[in-house]
Amino acid sequence: MPAVAAPAKILVTGANGFIAVWLVQDLLENGYTVRGTVRSESKGQHLLQKFKSFVDAGKFELVIVPDITAPGAFNEVVKGVDAIEHTASPFHFNVSPFQRI
């Protein structure tokens, strides 16, 4: 049994990720309202098109959180949600393969 039942509002972080898109779709199709986060407007365009009928119905909204590692990055985003599905991960290419410890 789920911890919260539809029509609860669920926050899905990193909503444009492969697994997160399927999660968002499942939640929407099962009557939940979803607030998804992405790092930029361009990363969210696909979601707005894919879930257009849910956007139009007020069941899906997108919020831009440019840096999820920033202090307080989610302070406003979590307000008014009933549960959180945290699928976002800070990812970068700032690694040197020859770096010595």
Side-chain angles (χ1 to χ4, degrees):
M1 177 173 247
V4 294
K9 182 181 274 190
I10 311 298
L11 172 65
V12 178
T13 65
N16 61 317
F18 179 77
I19 293 172
V21 171
W22 287 101
L23 175 62
V24 169
Q25 182 172 323
D26 186 62
L27 289 167
L28 292 170
E29 289 175 351
N30 284 287
Y32 291 87
T33 298
V34 176
R35 176 180 294 160
T37 69
V38 292
R39 288 180 288 157
S40 67
E41 188 174 337
S42 64
K43 292 186 180 293
Q45 290 305 310
H46 171 72
L47 297 175
L48 294 175
Q49 292 172 2
K50 179 171 179 60
F51 301 121
K52 184 176 182 345
S53 64
F54 293 101
V55 172
D56 294 344
K59 300 295 277 178
F60 179 71
E61 66 178 301
L62 204 58
V63 179
I64 298 169
V65 179
D67 181 3
I68 69 170
T69 65
F74 290 99
N75 286 358
E76 293 300 314
V77 178
V78 298
K79 290 182 179 176
V81 299
D82 300 300
I84 300 170
E85 297 281 349
H86 185 52
T87 67
S89 177
F91 182 79
H92 58 79
F93 292 104
N94 300 334
V95 177
S96 172
F98 304 107
Q99 188 175 23
R100 292 188 179 240
I101 299 176

